[in-house]
Amino acid sequence: MSILIKKGKVIDPASGCEEVLDILIEGECIKKIDENIKSPNAKLIDAEGKVVIPGLVDMHTHLRQPGREDEETIRTGSLAAAKGGFTTICCMPNTNPPVDTPAVVNYIYREAKKWGVVEVLPVGAITVGRKGERLSEMGRLKKAGVVGFSDDGSWVVDSHLMRRAFEYTKMLNVPVISHCEDHSLSKGGVMNEGYYSTLLGLPGIPAEAEEIAVFRDLTLLKLTNCKLHIAHISTRGAVELVKKAKKDNLKVTSEVTPHHLTLSDEAVKSFDTNTKVNPPLRDKSDIQALKIGLKEGIIDVIATDHAPHAQQEKELGYPDAPCGIIGLETALSLVIKELVEPGVLTFKDAVAKLTINPSRILGIDRGEIKEGGMANLAIVDLSRVWEVKEEDFLSLSKNSPFIGWNLPAKVELTIFKGKLVYSEELERMRKL
């Protein structure tokens, strides 16, 4: 079926396009981008007054399948992604079993093809079982289809082992995505170490737990000249380390999450376990440094770190509850609220950090609006304000600190490979 999107403001950071145009989709691809396109047999979508952007790309999603299908599945996670405007998501390897064999990679691709509504790309484990003791069979995992390697949730402590991982990924031309956390410093901590941890009597995690790990990985990067991507950067010290590394022309990129841009450690005063994340919510000065890092191009990507958890686990006391919140359905709106509306980033620059930048880091042909390219698009009403409601989440889990917030900008339609995969009408039909 052909689809004709009429009179939307097309914003494509990859090409610099920012003008009102029509887009004709035939099959899985974009056939034509121009003014006043006519196609009598196409399904018409009126996008006047709306923006049309590339389908968003999330480098850091936890889908929990296999192993914790009570928290999320490839099906529910991909539905949540589509509602948030994402058409490509990279699922992290800390599943049960972890993504450390081709069999698990193949399983994820099969399930995604059968049940998913958007593209799901697996990230492979750096080490077997994510135990930090022995490298996974990286060549076989790459051949099976992983787009990067990470022991997310764990930092590879053994520097010699991490050096070898860097050398292998250099040959395979994929990035290492490092969860930078020195567990000897963070062990037992449940929030940022500082004024509020002292006030609340909760054990803290110092910024240095992240910064020491970032420094080590950057030192190994200088030795090996591979591609290093630092996950969920959260401290001003880490931003400074990455800034210096970029000046030294090292191949380092980094990401920040919307919640680390929105909430500070002061939010933990509520003892709401939905404020418990890893790395922890940091000081307001760290948030300011993260925003400057985005503005100056030190931080390349905004990623959700979508981390669903079962309600009964999040209802435990703060020290015992697991870290993580869901983020796919609120990410774009939070970015607009915290970065675009205050003038930290233009809308086009913000979209770049959610589309073309992660695509280029991963080496995938996504995140663009171009003739002949994949028809992965989102149509967004920037003027619309919506309330975050627990019952409206398509994610299987509901652990969000933003429930009850009014957020700007609503994704109205998401198109993946030329097929409408999210609209409010589709959502209503699925609930019937």
Side-chain angles (χ1 to χ4, degrees):
M1 183 178 70
S2 299
I3 296 175
L4 180 58
I5 302 171
K6 295 289 291 183
K7 296 183 179 180
K9 186 173 184 180
V10 177
I11 299 180
D12 177 40
S15 65
C17 177
E18 199 167 357
E19 57 183 308
V20 175
L21 294 166
D22 298 346
I23 299 176
L24 177 62
I25 298 168
E26 290 188 1
E28 295 184 351
C29 297
I30 295 172
K31 177 73 173 178
K32 190 175 182 181
I33 305 170
D34 207 342
E35 297 178 353
N36 301 316
I37 298 174
K38 291 179 171 55
S39 182
N41 298 321
K43 173 183 171 63
L44 286 177
I45 295 176
D46 181 8
E48 188 170 6
K50 318 268 173 60
V51 294
V52 183
I53 61 174
L56 305 182
V57 177
D58 188 19
M59 286 186 70
H60 197 141
T61 303
H62 297 274
L63 293 180
R64 304 302 187 209
Q65 189 177 357
R68 286 304 305 267
E69 288 82 357
D70 59 318
E71 294 182 330
E72 194 75 285
T73 65
I74 289 169
R75 172 68 175 173
T76 58
S78 68
L79 285 170
K83 185 173 182 177
F86 291 89
T87 53
T88 299
I89 55 177
C90 299
C91 60
M92 303 308 285
N94 54 340
T95 49
N96 185 21
V99 188
D100 60 359
T101 65
V104 181
V105 177
N106 293 335
Y107 167 80
I108 290 169
Y109 274 117
R110 284 197 307 270
E111 289 296 299
K113 184 177 181 180
K114 185 176 181 181
W115 299 108
V117 299
V118 302
E119 183 174 40
V120 177
L121 301 175
V123 175
I126 297 171
T127 63
V128 175
R130 295 176 45 255
K131 294 178 179 178
E133 298 170 354
R134 181 163 54 95
L135 289 182
S136 64
E137 296 188 47
M138 290 181 159
R140 294 182 65 212
L141 288 170
K142 172 63 164 57
K143 189 175 181 180
V146 303
V147 293
F149 290 92
S150 179
D151 270 4
D152 189 52
S154 301
W155 184 56
V156 179
V157 177
D158 187 323
S159 295
H160 177 74
L161 193 67
M162 193 60 150
R163 175 187 179 175
R164 296 299 177 222
F166 280 12
E167 290 168 340
Y168 274 110
T169 57
K170 182 180 179 181
M171 290 188 290
L172 297 171
N173 195 30
V174 293
V176 170
I177 303 170
S178 185
H179 174 115
C180 289
E181 178 189 2
D182 185 336
H183 290 276
S184 65
L185 279 174
S186 66
K187 186 177 180 180
V190 298
M191 67 172 296
N192 182 54
E193 183 176 297
Y195 172 79
Y196 287 103
S197 65
T198 304
L199 178 70
L200 300 173
L202 291 173
I205 299 171
E208 287 77 8
E210 179 171 316
E211 292 158 9
I212 287 170
V214 170
F215 180 82
R216 196 284 308 265
D217 283 358
L218 290 173
T219 304
L220 290 178
L221 176 62
K222 188 175 182 179
L223 178 65
T224 58
N225 194 33
C226 71
K227 296 178 182 178
L228 171 65
H229 181 78
I230 297 172
H232 43 49
I233 197 168
S234 73
T235 76
R236 59 187 180 276
V239 173
E240 286 301 314
L241 288 166
V242 172
K243 182 177 182 179
K244 182 181 183 304
K246 282 181 175 278
K247 284 184 178 178
D248 292 340
N249 295 316
L250 298 183
K251 296 176 184 176
V252 60
T253 55
S254 62
E255 70 189 38
V256 65
T257 73
H259 52 270
H260 283 110
L261 297 167
T262 307
L263 299 171
S264 74
D265 54 356
E266 184 179 359
V268 182
K269 288 197 302 184
S270 65
F271 287 97
D272 177 2
T273 56
N274 289 327
T275 64
K276 187 179 180 183
V277 290
N278 187 18
L281 300 175
R282 298 293 188 182
D283 185 84
K284 289 179 181 178
S285 62
D286 292 304
I287 296 176
Q288 185 61 24
L290 294 172
K291 290 179 177 180
I292 293 170
L294 283 165
K295 188 179 183 69
E296 294 181 351
I298 300 162
I299 301 173
D300 310 87
V301 169
I302 299 169
T304 70
D305 195 6
H306 175 84
H309 288 290
Q311 182 179 346
Q312 66 270 20
E313 293 180 356
K314 272 294 191 179
E315 287 178 348
L316 297 171
Y318 207 93
D320 300 317
C323 296
I325 64 171
I326 58 172
L328 288 166
E329 296 166 72
T330 54
L332 180 60
S333 292
L334 287 171
V335 166
I336 291 169
K337 179 180 185 298
E338 292 299 325
L339 299 175
V340 179
E341 289 186 345
V344 178
L345 295 177
T346 65
F347 181 71
K348 185 168 70 174
D349 287 343
V351 170
K353 293 180 188 293
L354 287 157
T355 55
I356 191 61
N357 288 9
S359 298
R360 286 172 176 164
I361 291 166
L362 294 166
I364 59 175
D365 185 18
R366 301 289 184 269
E368 299 182 64
I369 300 175
K370 61 183 180 181
E371 292 182 355
M374 195 75 74
N376 294 348
L377 304 166
I379 300 175
V380 185
D381 186 346
L382 295 177
S383 66
R384 189 169 166 190
V385 176
W386 60 286
E387 183 182 352
V388 182
K389 296 180 180 179
E390 181 176 343
E391 61 269 24
D392 290 342
F393 281 125
L394 297 186
S395 172
L396 194 57
S397 294
K398 316 298 177 186
N399 52 305
S400 170
F402 303 112
I403 292 170
W405 286 38
N406 290 313
L407 296 179
K410 188 76 173 64
V411 175
E412 296 212 334
L413 296 171
T414 303
I415 295 169
F416 172 61
K417 288 188 175 181
K419 181 181 178 182
L420 186 64
V421 291
Y422 173 78
S423 69
E424 289 177 313
E425 183 180 356
L426 271 178
E427 186 178 352
R428 284 193 296 269
M429 289 172 63
R430 285 181 178 130
K431 288 179 177 179
L432 291 177

